[in-house]
Amino acid sequence: MTRPLIVTDCDEVLLHMVRHFREWLDVEHQVSLELEKHAFAEAMRRHGETEPLGEKEMWRLLGLFFDTQMDSQQPIAGAVEAINTLQEHSDVVVLTNLIDTRNEARVRQLRRLGIEARVFTNQGPKGGALSAIVEEYSPSVAVFIDDIASHHQSAAEHVPQVRRLHFCGEPAIASHVPCAHQAGAAHARIDTWAEALPWINDQLEKAPS
């Protein structure tokens, strides 16, 4: 029997991103990030302006953050310890929406913080990539963890047998994130590792013997 498999997102699940991105935008670029009021595509505004940044500038700044500021990102409370605990009896891989050229940087970033894991980079909905990972590992049971509801919907469509946990570890935005569990695309919504780890272990114990 193969080992269980955990496929986890990185930003806002393993590492804080928004809080570091917001501070960097404010200090270095005089841009406000107001995710509490707006969807991401309309959340960036230059100081003193009311119109959101154009899409091209928005993506440029996001890419620049990942190219120059990944060292600023700090772990979500309990994430490193939880992943290391899960790795004692499960395979754990990271499925992150970054362009492929940033894959090695993400691997190094996680390693510096105490997480040794294979990283899969992806663009767009994650269901197809998740399906390919599950096919490769052929696990006894699989759990998918992500902070974005649309990725859970995609996962549900491509690999409905995978257990899906909606997790957003950034308190500043967690209450503003549409809930995949309420929408029926995730099996649970938990936003702290202290509560998530027991839930994940419970799913793993349900694996066929």
Side-chain angles (χ1 to χ4, degrees):
M1 179 64 67
T2 55
R3 282 157 59 91
L5 174 66
I6 313 297
V7 182
T8 178
D9 185 27
C10 184
D11 297 311
E12 313 309 353
V13 176
L14 302 180
L15 307 181
H16 289 286
M17 181 271 178
V18 164
R19 62 174 57 181
H20 304 300
F21 185 45
R22 191 198 306 265
E23 180 179 3
W24 176 76
L25 286 173
D26 182 59
V27 173
E28 299 294 333
H29 298 278
Q30 293 73 56
V31 169
S32 298
L33 180 66
E34 300 178 337
L35 288 171
E36 298 84 355
K37 300 178 181 178
H38 307 281
F40 189 83
E42 298 181 350
M44 295 185 205
R45 285 164 170 76
R46 298 206 178 277
H47 292 177
E49 297 183 6
T50 59
E51 291 298 314
L53 293 185
E55 184 174 349
K56 183 177 180 180
E57 178 66 0
M58 178 193 75
W59 288 115
R60 185 190 74 82
L61 287 169
L62 185 63
L64 185 61
F65 174 83
F66 284 117
D67 284 338
T68 66
Q69 301 297 312
M70 288 176 74
D71 285 346
S72 72
Q73 291 184 256
Q74 296 301 309
I76 302 287
V80 174
E81 297 82 359
I83 294 302
N84 288 332
T85 296
L86 288 167
Q87 286 177 321
E88 294 174 4
H89 48 74
S90 304
D91 292 317
V92 178
V93 303
V94 175
L95 177 57
T96 182
N97 263 18
L98 291 176
I99 59 175
D100 296 341
T101 55
R102 297 188 180 114
N103 186 297
E104 291 185 8
R106 177 120 282 178
V107 171
R108 291 193 300 270
Q109 176 193 41
L110 290 169
R111 182 179 297 134
R112 284 195 301 270
L113 296 171
I115 295 175
E116 289 276 355
R118 187 177 176 189
V119 171
F120 293 84
T121 39
N122 178 74
Q123 297 84 50
K126 291 185 176 179
L130 178 60
S131 178
I133 293 168
V134 171
E135 182 176 2
E136 176 182 343
Y137 279 80
S138 188
S140 54
V141 61
V143 176
F144 173 62
I145 311 167
D146 204 282
D147 67 311
I148 297 178
S150 61
H151 292 321
H152 287 282
Q153 182 61 48
S154 180
E157 294 168 358
H158 284 79
V159 275
Q161 74 275 19
V162 171
R163 304 297 291 175
R164 298 176 299 280
L165 172 61
H166 190 175
F167 183 111
C168 181
E170 176 49 68
I173 63 170
S175 63
H176 304 281
V177 173
C179 181
H181 183 228
Q182 291 180 354
H187 296 95
R189 170 70 185 266
I190 305 172
D191 292 335
T192 68
W193 277 104
E195 297 175 276
L197 184 58
W199 184 89
I200 295 167
N201 281 328
D202 184 57
Q203 308 311 302
L204 301 184
E205 289 172 3
K206 296 175 181 176
S209 57

